[in-house]
Amino acid sequence: MRLLIPLLAMTFGCDWSAATKTLEDTGDGTEERLLTDDDDTTGGDNGGPGGDSGGDNGGPGGDGGPGGDDTGTAPTDRDGDGYSVEDGDCDDDDERVNPGALDDCDGWDEDCDEEVDEDAWQADVYEPNDDWDEAVQLGSLDENPIQSLTGYLHNGADLDRYEMTLDDEDWDFFVVYLTLSNIPDDATYRMTVYKQNGSDWDEFGSVYQTGGTLETYFNDQFLVDDGGTFQLVVSADSEPPCDRTYQLDIVHDEY
């Protein structure tokens, strides 16, 4: 067997990459044989892929890192109104209170904006009527000489405007009575009458009262055409309760 080794080396032409120099015991203690790459089906060739597999598996493991965000605490909507404290809900135990709620007349800040009852005007069927061109149209007092309506001032800045027309002849006399009742005891209400003059409005007169009933009137002058378009403005000189209605009565009389 010792002469076999150099003979094999010559036969394969010194291609040492084709065989290893390791001798293996055959088991009987007397024979040895040369180990070749063909004999080892699980060694170096499989070792390489094994290393690649370890690296490949390590990569996806690292990619799993962002999954750590899933373990954070999500915003909690305790009352189920669609808003959490992080969304601006100032009372997450009451579904009626959230940034999207209607802040109506009840003394509470339902929409969490630190203002109270600012949406109360939406319950007023005559709103918006704060500007000259938004006045409630009452029509002709000649055709409808008696009119009654109920309104309310939802805060101290609110103005209720009512527009009416009135015909007059030089020899006619007329008087228009205005009565505002149910004024809160702790609030001062005012009535102001304007007459249109081209593109302007001239003040006809203004009266006010705290609590109770406010009454006034305006009339024409003899041999003067005092007809035209008029606006009556109801306002408050102090902060009124937004849930307190007033009664307005208008009576037109001729003589």
Side-chain angles (χ1 to χ4, degrees):
M1 293 299 293
R2 294 180 184 275
L3 296 176
L4 180 62
I5 295 174
L7 180 60
L8 291 175
M10 293 176 61
T11 302
F12 289 96
C14 299
D15 184 9
W16 300 103
S17 63
T20 70
K21 295 181 181 181
T22 304
L23 296 177
E24 183 181 65
D25 189 339
T26 61
D28 59 3
T30 60
E31 294 184 351
E32 295 176 336
R33 64 183 178 85
L34 185 66
L35 291 178
T36 66
D37 291 338
D38 293 335
D39 297 323
D40 187 1
T41 59
T42 61
D45 290 343
N46 290 337
D52 293 340
S53 176
D56 292 341
N57 291 336
D63 293 341
D69 292 342
D70 296 337
T71 63
T73 302
T76 301
D77 178 16
R78 292 195 301 268
D79 55 16
D81 60 5
Y83 296 86
S84 65
V85 173
E86 290 80 0
D87 296 326
D89 194 335
C90 54
D91 187 350
D92 207 21
D93 293 317
D94 189 341
E95 70 277 4
R96 297 169 299 177
V97 178
N98 60 71
L102 183 69
D103 197 0
D104 53 9
C105 181
D106 58 6
W108 293 89
D109 178 20
E110 281 96 346
D111 58 359
C112 301
D113 63 354
E114 299 183 355
E115 296 184 20
V116 177
D117 299 342
E118 73 271 16
D119 296 326
W121 64 271
Q122 296 190 37
D124 188 346
V125 297
Y126 298 116
E127 292 288 349
N129 61 354
D130 287 21
D131 294 332
W132 295 103
D133 58 352
E134 296 176 334
V136 178
Q137 300 297 313
L138 301 181
S140 171
L141 292 182
D142 296 290
E143 298 176 3
N144 302 287
I146 300 176
Q147 302 197 36
S148 297
L149 54 90
T150 300
Y152 66 88
L153 300 172
H154 56 86
N155 61 40
D158 187 21
L159 301 176
D160 286 353
R161 295 180 182 273
Y162 304 97
E163 185 169 303
M164 63 208 84
T165 60
L166 185 62
D167 293 332
D168 181 41
E169 301 293 341
D170 292 344
W171 55 87
D172 287 342
F173 291 94
F174 73 81
V175 58
V176 177
Y177 299 99
L178 306 172
T179 304
L180 186 67
S181 56
N182 201 32
I183 301 173
D185 293 337
D186 57 350
T188 300
Y189 280 20
R190 179 182 296 271
M191 288 194 297
T192 305
V193 178
Y194 296 87
K195 182 181 180 183
Q196 190 171 26
N197 182 11
S199 60
D200 298 324
W201 292 88
D202 297 333
E203 183 176 326
F204 230 48
S206 182
V207 293
Y208 61 90
Q209 180 168 313
T210 301
T213 299
L214 175 61
E215 296 178 314
T216 190
Y217 68 92
F218 64 93
N219 57 0
D220 67 348
Q221 302 179 48
F222 182 62
L223 297 180
V224 176
D225 183 358
D226 292 316
T229 301
F230 298 84
Q231 280 197 13
L232 169 63
V233 178
V234 178
S235 60
D237 292 355
S238 59
E239 194 70 20
C242 61
D243 59 348
R244 180 69 175 270
T245 60
Y246 62 76
Q247 177 73 29
L248 176 62
D249 294 295
I250 303 173
V251 177
H252 169 230
D253 195 10
E254 291 184 351
Y255 55 93

